[in-house]
Structures are given as structure tokens and as C-alpha cells.
Amino acid sequence: MHFIRRLGAAFALVAGALVGVAETGIIAPALAQQPTPWQVGMQPAGSPVAQQIHSLHTLVLWIITAVTIFVGALIVYVLYRFSAKRNPVPSQLSHHTGLEVAWTLLPVLILVVIAIPSFRLVYYEDRTANADMTIKVTGHQWYWEYSYPDHGNVDFSSYYIKDDDATPHIRLLDVDNPLVLPAGKNIRILTTSGDVIHSFFIPSLGVQRYAIPGRTIETWVRIDKPGQYYGECNQICGTNHSFMPISIKAVTPEDFATWVEQAKTKFASDAPAPMPVPAGRVAIAQAQPIPAPLPVGDAQ
Ligand SMILES: [Cu+2]
């Protein structure tokens, strides 16, 4: 029984991939901004970038399906037409200029057709010209830290909630403090890391950027509508790599403003403290009088 169910699921997978049904949303269940058991296809797009990714995926799917069918049919034809029985005296032909030009040019054309929207998409998801706000995402072993430089430097850490907790939650996706963002706004995302390389990945929003120590990498998102969106660290970063999910709560701009005010108090103690200065240096700094600025125009 189990085997038959698996076989059925495998068939659904192949059929779905072939006709691209998954992209139409027929198979994908509603409200799936998270993976679901036996899910076929991608999670519904929740941002313009994700929509573009889906259209490119659909385009490439149609092209590779056509290529596969063409090559498959050619093989079947050749097996039939040129079998030893039907074709006892094989052709001695070793060169055919027209054919060689065709099988070089045609794949080049196909690749160009794929490359143009690919590059457009790469630049589209790279950055937004008109960012309404910025958030900074720092990967740590093994949690995410979110900062809001445009909103009083609200800064907090986001840890996953352990499975054995009493509160109901989604396994390995729910966190204590989700990243709260306003829907409908262009949000600049800056990623970096405090230790090793992580990757900030939210499939339904089309966001995926490395978080690399010593570097800041940019991308952006505009979440279509309020809701809950989930992601995962997508770069193996150590023992607890599987335990640093990303949970995004998209709210209306009004609710976001309210949340910011609450967050300022709630996370006040979480804000990064200024680097402590060694006592000796303070003494020296205080002992040195600040030199008066040079009068302008006096220099020879
Ligand atoms: Cu990781």
C-alpha cells in the first residue's frame, strides 16, 4: 500500500514537472509559504522577484521539455529506421556541413533565449533603486540577528523554538522573534555574518543571499501581502545549521509602525553595546588637549 502511494506520488511529480501544472497553482496548496509534505513545485510567489523567478522557471521548463521530446523522438526514430534489419548497408557519410551548422546554431539560439531573461532577473533582484527602508541581517552560529537602522536601530536575535516546547509551533520553522516587515514596501536587505558563511534564504519571497563575514551583500524584497513567510539558512555553517530558520511576519505599514514602537522598548537591552575602551586609553585621551583647528588661508 505504501509502495503504491509512493509510486502515485512519483507519477504526480513527473506529470507535474512535464506540463508545468505546479506553476499554475493547481497542485500547490493555498497559504503554503512553507514546505508541505509531498509538495510539488515551488511555494506560491509572495513578491515581484519570486514571480519573475517562477516565470523564468516556467520558460526553461517548456524549453527543456521540448528539447527532451525532440531528442527522445529522434532516438526512437533512429533505432527503428536504421536498425541492422532495415538498413543492412550503413551510410559512409562522415561529414555534413548543413547539419553541423544547424546543431551548433540551434543550441546557441536556445541558450541566448534563456540567457536574456536570466540576466534581466539577476539585475532585477540585485537591488532596488527606491528603498523605503533597510534591514540588516547578520548570520551567527546558529541564529539570525536583525537590525533596523532606519527605525531607531532596533536590533534583536531570532532563535528557533525547540521541538520539546509546550507551545504549538511549526517544527524547525518557528522562532522566538520573527523578522517583522511592512508589506508593500521596497525593503533593502543587507546581509553579513559574525562568524562563518551562512545564507539568508526565503523561497516564497525569492530572497537568497550569502551572509559572509567581513562583507555586506545587498538584495531587496517587496512582500505582496501581509502573512507568514518561512525560510532556512541555506549554507552549511556547522553543527546546528539545520536549527536556524527564518521566520518573516509581514504586516501592514500601520501595524509595522506600532510594532517598531513596542520593539524599541522590548529589545532595548539587545542593542549592541558600544565597544568598551580600555581604562588606560581613556586616561590618555583625556590628557591630550584637542588641538585648535588651523586658521583658513594662513598656510603657506
Ligand atoms: Cu547554515
Side-chain angles (χ1 to χ4, degrees):
M1 210 49 210
H2 196 64
F3 172 73
I4 292 169
R5 224 180 59 197
R6 278 182 176 239
L7 199 68
F11 264 106
L13 192 81
V14 173
L18 272 177
V19 295
V21 167
E23 295 325 298
T24 64
I26 293 168
I27 287 181
L31 298 169
Q33 287 89 358
Q34 69 196 61
T36 52
W38 297 105
Q39 180 182 349
V40 175
M42 293 184 279
Q43 297 173 33
S47 76
V49 170
Q51 277 166 20
Q52 297 281 316
I53 292 173
H54 287 201
S55 353
L56 178 67
H57 173 263
T58 309
L59 170 77
V60 175
L61 190 67
W62 280 116
I63 293 175
I64 60 175
T65 304
V67 169
T68 307
I69 290 172
F70 175 69
V71 173
L74 217 55
I75 290 174
V76 171
Y77 173 74
V78 167
L79 285 175
Y80 172 80
R81 172 67 184 78
F82 299 103
S83 67
K85 203 167 69 184
R86 285 191 186 75
N87 194 41
V89 189
S91 157
Q92 297 297 308
L93 189 80
S94 67
H95 185 79
H96 190 296
T97 310
L99 212 55
E100 283 171 28
V101 168
W103 76 46
T104 307
L105 276 188
L106 206 68
V108 167
L109 275 177
I110 293 171
L111 290 180
V112 168
V113 167
I114 296 174
I116 291 170
S118 298
F119 281 108
R120 286 171 66 108
L121 181 55
V122 164
Y123 285 102
Y124 183 58
E125 65 187 24
D126 186 45
R127 63 190 58 192
T128 171
N130 311 305
D132 295 312
M133 60 174 280
T134 300
I135 54 151
K136 187 182 164 204
V137 176
T138 310
H140 294 276
Q141 284 174 317
W142 287 275
Y143 62 96
W144 294 99
E145 178 192 349
Y146 302 122
S147 313
Y148 296 69
D150 300 334
H151 300 91
N153 278 325
V154 168
D155 182 289
F156 58 89
S157 302
S158 178
Y159 285 86
Y160 98 105
I161 303 173
K162 284 196 186 75
D163 282 357
D164 50 17
D165 271 9
T167 46
H169 61 270
I170 300 172
R171 185 173 174 268
L172 286 183
L173 287 179
D174 268 349
V175 300
D176 54 356
N177 299 312
L179 173 63
V180 179
L181 294 174
K185 298 280 181 195
N186 290 338
I187 300 162
R188 178 188 291 121
I189 301 173
L190 302 175
T191 62
T192 188
S193 168
D195 36 52
V196 301
I197 300 178
H198 303 269
S199 175
F200 189 63
F201 176 43
I202 306 108
S204 58
L205 299 180
V207 170
Q208 180 170 21
R209 278 295 182 268
Y210 275 129
I212 299 178
R215 268 209 211 177
T216 304
I217 300 177
E218 182 172 345
T219 186
W220 72 285
V221 71
R222 186 172 72 237
I223 306 171
D224 290 338
K225 52 180 192 292
Q228 184 68 52
Y229 303 85
Y230 290 104
E232 294 276 3
C233 175
N234 202 27
Q235 175 67 42
I236 294 181
C237 56
T239 317
N240 289 343
H241 161 64
S242 335
F243 303 95
M244 48 183 298
I246 298 153
S247 169
I248 294 183
K249 197 179 161 199
V251 295
T252 60
E254 298 75 42
D255 288 351
F256 178 71
T258 317
W259 174 83
V260 166
E261 289 316 309
Q262 290 165 356
K264 278 178 186 164
T265 354
K266 185 181 175 191
F267 300 115
S269 54
D270 276 19
M275 286 287 283
V277 183
R281 286 209 192 154
V282 176
I284 293 166
Q286 283 167 351
Q288 299 282 331
I290 298 164
L294 282 171
V296 181
D298 248 21
Q300 294 300 310

